[in-house]
Amino acid sequence: MTAGRDLDVMTVRSGALILQVLPELGASILNLRAASGRPVLRPVDPAGVRSSSQCASFTLLPYSNRIRDAHFPFHGQDVRLTPTTKDGLAQHGDVRNRPWQVERVSDAHLSCTFDSRAFPDMNWPWAFTAVTEYLLHGPHLDTSLTLTNADTTDMPAGLGLHPYFARRQNGVDPLVEFDAALTYDTDERLLPLAGARPVHPDEDHRTPTRLGDRHVDRAYTAWDGVARLDWGTRSLTITADNVFSHLIAFTAPDGTLALEPVSHATDAFNLAARGVHGTDMRVLTPGQSLAGAVRFTLGGDWS
């Protein structure tokens, strides 16, 4: 099977789920469907795919989300990256549109590996390796991420996932629920102005809420690692390890909903340099790894 510019597609399945992955585009998820064919993540036509942004989900490494003006101070140096957005930011790391090595471990398990040293144009000054594991079992998809500092000096680090969920099911807008008590005020480029503050009532999803026509693009923290979409007859639960301390909620222009488990605040490296607490920026010493897993679980009737 091919997609877009003759991209290979690797497919694994369980009794409940079918997963398609694109090794040449960041080992991104092309489609995740229930065994019935019903989309779990947003449905993607393979013929139209040109970048990971058009996929159902992609990996964020070696940092997540945005870096202000594509530079930040670290250990006395001004680290400058190449801007990747029209407004001068570096965004979403630099693995999601590069080829990965993907091995079929079993009919329900893919192991994907990446080594930044294979790419001279890497938009990151430290060498690193990464592993993404996709494992289907029962009604679950488990995605495990590992980022390792392969350099000789300390490296700032972060990781995350950027899944887009098929939001409306049979015309029903789901109840969205997650326990996150804090959020950030942001500027016109959606960069935090300061540390996190308590959520306002219209930002609070600790009680299940329908988004309706609202546009949402907000980072949350003090998250308990669980999020749930409930359509009544079926549901989807996200369960993330503790390393994923932040959750990004984003209503995409195509009508889907992104709920992104990530390990740090947007622009965490610059915020931490300013002395802002709670950003959860990590620093990896040479050979040290940062790792975590996220589970998607189907509930109810997905026929």
Side-chain angles (χ1 to χ4, degrees):
M1 184 178 182
T2 59
R5 49 185 177 87
D6 296 326
L7 298 174
D8 291 332
V9 178
M10 296 190 71
T11 302
V12 290
R13 64 187 69 223
S14 65
L17 289 162
I18 303 169
L19 172 70
Q20 295 177 310
V21 170
L22 296 175
E24 296 171 68
L25 270 186
S28 300
I29 295 177
L30 175 66
N31 279 297
L32 177 66
R33 298 179 182 274
S36 65
R38 181 181 291 276
V40 177
L41 298 177
R42 70 176 177 187
V44 177
D45 178 2
V49 173
R50 297 294 182 271
S51 80
S52 62
S53 295
Q54 298 166 303
C55 292
S57 180
F58 54 84
T59 300
L60 307 171
L61 290 169
Y63 62 88
S64 78
N65 225 282
R66 305 168 178 88
I67 296 177
R68 182 182 296 273
D69 300 325
H71 73 93
F72 58 92
F74 182 73
H75 285 190
Q77 299 183 21
D78 183 21
V79 179
R80 293 192 171 270
L81 307 177
T82 300
T84 59
T85 70
K86 294 179 180 179
D87 51 1
L89 309 175
Q91 186 172 14
H92 293 337
D94 191 23
V95 303
R96 65 192 186 102
N97 288 312
R98 296 186 182 271
W100 288 52
Q101 301 299 311
V102 180
E103 175 189 359
R104 187 188 303 275
V105 179
S106 73
D107 290 342
H109 183 189
L110 294 177
S111 178
C112 318
T113 58
F114 182 88
D115 190 331
S116 71
R117 291 167 292 192
F119 303 95
D121 63 340
M122 199 76 202
N123 195 20
W124 189 249
W126 293 272
F128 65 90
T129 61
V131 179
T132 299
E133 301 268 351
Y134 295 114
L135 177 63
L136 299 174
H137 56 109
H140 313 292
L141 166 62
D142 289 353
T143 303
S144 303
L145 303 179
T146 303
L147 171 66
T148 301
N149 180 358
D151 218 307
T152 58
T153 61
D154 290 356
M155 179 183 87
L159 46 78
L161 295 176
H162 199 309
Y164 294 89
F165 295 95
R167 181 174 157 191
R168 294 187 183 273
Q169 302 269 349
N170 294 9
V172 177
D173 192 28
L175 292 168
V176 179
E177 180 182 7
F178 53 85
D179 189 339
L182 303 176
T183 189
Y184 296 85
D185 290 321
T186 58
D187 63 15
E188 68 282 356
R189 293 188 292 176
L190 298 174
L191 297 166
L193 298 170
R197 56 149 175 88
V199 294
H200 297 151
D202 62 345
E203 301 160 343
D204 192 348
H205 290 277
R206 288 173 288 188
T207 299
T209 307
R210 299 189 199 279
L211 295 177
D213 295 328
R214 283 186 291 156
H215 173 68
V216 177
D217 196 343
R218 180 166 293 282
Y220 291 85
T221 189
W223 179 41
D224 71 354
V226 179
R228 180 179 168 87
L229 302 176
D230 189 343
W231 292 271
T233 58
R234 67 187 64 89
S235 65
L236 176 70
T237 302
I238 305 166
T239 310
D241 285 348
N242 289 342
V243 68
F244 299 99
S245 59
H246 286 66
L247 182 71
I248 312 296
F250 170 53
T251 50
D254 65 357
T256 61
L257 173 64
L259 292 174
E260 310 161 36
V262 298
S263 67
H264 60 77
T266 301
D267 198 33
F269 305 154
N270 281 306
L271 291 176
R274 288 168 41 197
V276 174
H277 297 290
T279 66
D280 292 331
M281 170 187 170
R282 266 74 170 190
V283 177
L284 300 181
T285 59
Q288 190 176 20
S289 297
L290 179 67
V294 177
R295 171 174 290 180
F296 301 157
T297 302
L298 303 186
D301 181 7
W302 281 83
S303 61

